[in-house]
Amino acid sequence: MNVSKLVLTLALASVISSAFAQSFSEFIVIDEIREDIDQLVSNFGDQANVYVIEGFSPSAIEQISKTLENIRIQELHIYAATKPGAIVFNSISITSDNQKDWAPILKEWAHVVSDKVIIHSEVVFSGAEGIQLKQELENTTGLAFTSHN
């Protein structure tokens, strides 16, 4: 197969894959250790665009990435425990010290999310550690990261 046919085949495969992908304006991820998990689950119900992280294996980041396969979204909303400079899931914490360990998986989110990732927290991006985490996540993924309460 010559190069032009290979490029055309790959482009066609990408178009077909995108055509079968589910599309949502937003996708909501809730970690099971959130104190208000019952209220959040009650508010969002059994919508197709809601995922609750459960268990320790695979990790929360791996569960999110697996769930996002074959969908396209504008905004990814994450409800997890936080502290300044850390997103704390049931199985792991993402900090500026370890986010590079998760970079290959986090980079995949850029293929799914077209706008931004919103961490529902008042403090996650506060202080020097929070600002550093935000910058590193944005540099790793190419996506905008914001926080919202």
Side-chain angles (χ1 to χ4, degrees):
M1 180 178 281
N2 67 31
V3 174
S4 62
K5 286 184 180 180
L6 179 60
V7 170
L8 181 59
T9 302
L10 291 173
L12 183 58
S14 177
V15 169
I16 291 170
S17 174
S18 294
F20 290 106
Q22 277 189 292
S23 183
F24 300 104
S25 61
E26 61 185 18
F27 195 87
I28 298 158
V29 174
I30 306 168
D31 189 71
E32 68 181 354
I33 65 168
R34 262 300 279 237
E35 290 181 12
D36 57 349
I37 187 169
D38 292 334
Q39 179 184 356
L40 289 168
V41 170
S42 175
N43 288 349
F44 296 117
D46 289 331
Q47 300 174 41
N49 65 332
V50 177
Y51 178 75
V52 178
I53 297 170
E54 296 178 341
F56 295 98
S57 182
S59 74
I61 297 298
E62 291 167 318
Q63 287 184 49
I64 293 169
S65 293
K66 182 73 174 163
T67 302
L68 295 177
E69 286 180 358
N70 299 316
I71 65 171
R72 302 290 176 259
I73 56 177
Q74 291 177 336
E75 296 178 348
L76 175 60
H77 292 257
I78 297 177
Y79 291 85
T82 62
K83 59 184 183 179
I87 305 167
V88 182
F89 294 101
N90 63 351
S91 58
I92 60 162
S93 294
I94 302 295
T95 66
S96 59
D97 291 334
N98 72 2
Q99 73 82 31
K100 61 185 151 285
D101 298 335
W102 298 102
I105 296 172
L106 293 170
K107 286 178 182 179
E108 293 174 14
W109 295 6
H111 301 290
V112 175
V113 180
S114 65
D115 190 10
K116 61 187 164 191
V117 178
I118 301 168
I119 310 298
H120 287 266
S121 165
E122 290 181 11
V123 299
V124 68
F125 297 134
S126 64
E129 291 175 332
I131 292 168
Q132 183 178 357
L133 175 63
K134 180 181 187 310
Q135 290 171 343
E136 289 179 3
L137 288 170
E138 290 179 341
N139 289 339
T140 296
T141 64
L143 295 168
F145 275 73
T146 64
S147 61
H148 184 273
N149 190 16

